Amino acid sequence: MSRNSEWQEEQQRVNFIIEEVKKRELTLQEKLGTTKEEVVDIRKNFWEDVTVNFENADEAAETHASIKQQAELMSERERSHQHDLKQLKHLHKLKDSPYFGRIDFLENGESEIEKVYIGTSSFVDNDGVDFYVYDWRAPISNLYYDYGPGPGTYETPSGAISGEIEVKKQYIIRQGTIEHMFNTGITIGDEMLQEVLGGQSDTQMKNIVGTIQKEQNQIIRNDRGRLLIVQGVAGSGKTSAALQRVAYLLYRFRNTLSADQIVLFSPNPLFNSYVSTVLPELGEDNMQQTTFQSYLEYRLGDEWTLEDPFHQMEYILSSSNDELYEQQVETIKMKSSLYYMEQMDHYLSKLENEGLVFRDLIFQGETFVEKETIYEYFYEIDDSISIPNRLQMVSEMLLKKIRKLEIEEREKEWVDKEVELLDNEILLKVHQKVQNEMKKDSDHFYEYDREQQLLRALVVKRKCKKIKSAVSNLYFLDMLTVYKQLMQEILPANLYEQSIKKINEGLFPYEDATPYLYVKGKLEGFQVNAKIRHVFIDEAQDYSPFQFAFIKNMFPRAKMTVLGDKNQSIYAHSKESSFSALQSLYDDGEVEKYELTQSYRSTRQIINFAKKIILADIEPFNREGEKPLLWKAQTKKQMNENVIERVKHLRRSFGTVAIICKTAAESKSLYEAIYHHLDVRLMTKHSTGYESSILIIPSYLAKGVEFDAVVVYDASRSTYNKESERKLLYTICTRAMHSLDVFYVEEKSPLLSNVSKETFQERM
């Protein structure tokens, strides 16, 4: 068959599928209208269609059954309506691009070749027998991702099916028209990747189901271990694979798993926005998305002003001349280690017999129960009972004392004064209550006494509400003092003094938040979430071993998928050993590991430049572009002028140009210097999204995101001069898809000394 006739035949099939999709859409729209009318009708006439009679037990039981039947009918119609709406969304997407791949498969023992077309969702004929298009997550679709022409096998619930792949094709179809079509081998072909990767960046991540590589497919479909570790270089598609993995899990376990049972910990709110459209594009609901900082603020924000990791990062990057700098870095690293957790456990075991610190219970400005009394009562309880259970027993004892106090306080003089201050609405309610009680009693004096009794009880109950809540929440335990004592026991004196100083100044350090919650959990009982079945952690190299252990404890039933790049480990609390520390928390048979070494985001020229900064073994995808440009200036003023002119030039070719500064302070300073000359937006830790434009962004907020063109601002010796900043500079450079410019004053950073001159061009 000639190329032209084959193309025509394939286009005819696309046209046929689109026509079938349109017919199905019309049918569904009619059904949706009918179902919606049924739901509205059931709601409107709910009580008319229910037999209500409570005269005796039998009639009441019949009434209950009637209500239940009607409610189930309404629920079933609503479920059907939601299912059809979801199908309609799938069909709408199929109209534009019905599929992206095809394999011709001859199953062993069969004589007829099956043409298997693969798209973002399934499309079956009206009888539900023949598949026009298979969902990319279906078992048979695995052949497309894992094999080229030749023998192939895929797993089904009933066992493995083997055969021969005769043909493997890829398509790029837009608005119902085939734009590209080509045969390919085992990997998704360069032509398709070039087409997808050569386009401009988007403010939101695209789904990659049409270009999933074999190694990414294995990550997506792995459902064996309890811990899946993906170590991938910058731009290797690990985040994209993780999101497709969520979609796969929701498809594979659709009868037992829902989106609200999956949580993604992402690096910042900007990243949340960046990935928010991937799952909806695939017809799935978004999983829960949060940051670890948001969780810390949820748990501790009412008690403290919490430092966030970005504030800590600002200090690390800009305060190296501080006389306490090295001491602070040492403190952060220690409090982030599993060793610190082990030392905490050792200290906490001592508290089983002595050492807990309690607070006095205060009522009406006077001590109601002294802390010494609480201490004695706690340690009189059998020490074979856990500390959390003993604290609950103390809480129950104190609540009994409060109930007794309530009765005693009703006769006190202060209560009369409070009663007089009650508003009329409350007085009226109490009066009506007494009237209802006393319909058969006309003794008005007794009625007055009863009202006063109820009002006094109400006043005292209100006063005791706060102390009751405090006791129920175990606030009689002085957690902060316990934590301070623990630090004093574990830390060297100089590190302890610095830690206490920061806490006493009113800012709770980021490095203390997780250890503090750990101690709180060990003493009061951990707040765990057993509902969550899968936890995803992106930019996992930014997490400390302590944080990993804590997250594992938070979600005891969940499987965990962690994705990161040790070469982008830029925080003081993160370590190259974090992944191995996490792995040590699981049994050997529970861990699955993958390594992705090929980078798809950036051009070959950008990767060849960036990988020399860290001397890493990164395999660039064969997409050509211009060599990175290094711009030398004699003064900062000249550098800013050069940046302005270069960005104006870049903006004519690219949608998003990111000027990446080292710190937030530097970003703000640059913004104030150039915003009169450029239409530029300053990104901060509070930014939740962006549009294609010129951005100024601190280095650590750019992690996980990509831009058409990147301008590295002030890569001078004076700015990037510490070995600890090498990975940071590498991370910044690898945000660029098509263009990379590095600006500096007088002398470039020594971190660029390993970069060979063949990989860049210099501009003066």
Side-chain angles (χ1 to χ4, degrees), residues 400-412:
K400 285 180 183 177
K401 284 183 174 289
I402 294 170
R403 285 193 287 272
K404 185 178 178 182
L405 174 74
E406 281 186 281
I407 296 170
E408 294 171 352
E409 289 292 315
R410 289 173 189 173
E411 305 306 318
K412 298 285 179 68

Side-chain angles (χ1 to χ4, degrees), residues 527-574:
Q527 290 191 16
V528 299
N529 188 332
K531 178 187 174 185
I532 297 297
R533 308 306 298 271
H534 286 272
V535 173
F536 285 74
I537 302 177
D538 206 350
E539 300 294 331
Q541 74 280 348
D542 294 343
Y543 288 72
S544 70
F546 200 121
Q547 289 171 336
F548 277 140
F550 184 78
I551 291 172
K552 181 178 184 290
N553 193 77
M554 280 165 54
F555 303 102
R557 294 185 63 199
K559 292 185 174 183
M560 196 178 294
T561 301
V562 300
L563 314 112
D565 178 8
K566 62 186 179 183
N567 294 319
Q568 296 183 63
S569 180
I570 65 173
Y571 287 92
H573 61 261
S574 58

Side-chain angles (χ1 to χ4, degrees), residues 628-677:
L629 297 178
L630 268 61
W631 299 78
K632 181 179 179 179
Q634 297 304 318
T635 65
K636 191 167 186 176
K637 183 175 182 292
Q638 184 188 4
M639 178 174 66
N640 288 352
E641 291 170 353
N642 291 345
V643 167
I644 291 168
E645 290 307 310
R646 180 59 177 164
V647 168
K648 285 179 178 177
H649 174 79
L650 291 169
R651 190 69 174 100
R652 288 195 283 269
S653 302
F654 300 114
T656 304
V657 180
I659 307 171
I660 304 182
C661 300
K662 185 178 179 182
T663 66
E666 186 180 63
S667 298
K668 185 178 180 182
S669 176
L670 176 63
Y671 174 78
E672 290 172 350
I674 70 172
Y675 80 94
H676 294 295
H677 307 280

